[in-house]
Amino acid sequence: MLHDRLLVRAESDGERRSGGGLVIPATATMGRRLAWAEVVATGQHVRQVEVGDRVLYDPEDKAEVELHAASYVVLRERDLHAVAAPRVPDGGTGLYL
């Protein structure tokens, strides 16, 4: 990856469950909804994100690419809304907005 780009593996866009346990089909239309993805690779100028972190991004602002029969999304670091990092020391939430 070059510069401030990230290669992420998007989480499933299929059916999901509501807090009450109702199944929401993938075809249901909702308002603007952000999506989570796992970082697979980073460019040399990325400062806040590491491989393995989960990031929150807007699915409308994405560039999709297929590598070795797997789908990925290419993003800029500045297009991220949040980072969920497992490397945060005890007492922290691990979620940076």
Side-chain angles (χ1 to χ4, degrees):
M1 300 305 301
L2 298 174
H3 310 296
D4 67 339
R5 302 294 198 273
L6 302 167
L7 185 68
V8 299
R9 182 180 308 119
E11 293 182 359
S12 172
D13 288 337
E15 294 180 346
R16 54 188 188 274
R17 292 194 178 271
S18 70
L22 298 174
V23 175
I24 302 171
T27 57
T29 57
M30 296 184 73
R32 186 172 174 192
R33 185 175 184 90
L34 300 177
W36 287 99
E38 179 186 355
V39 177
V40 177
T42 63
Q44 67 268 25
H45 296 296
V46 173
R47 297 178 293 171
Q48 301 294 321
V49 181
E50 295 180 7
V51 173
D53 289 349
R54 290 182 66 223
V55 294
L56 187 65
Y57 71 99
D58 186 356
E60 300 296 323
D61 301 328
K62 66 180 180 179
E64 294 184 24
V65 64
E66 188 172 316
L67 299 170
H68 304 288
S71 294
Y72 298 97
V73 177
V74 177
L75 301 168
R76 286 182 170 220
E77 185 178 23
R78 69 180 181 197
D79 294 334
L80 300 179
H81 294 273
V83 178
R87 65 183 177 281
V88 176
D90 291 338
T93 61
L95 185 62
Y96 295 95
L97 301 176

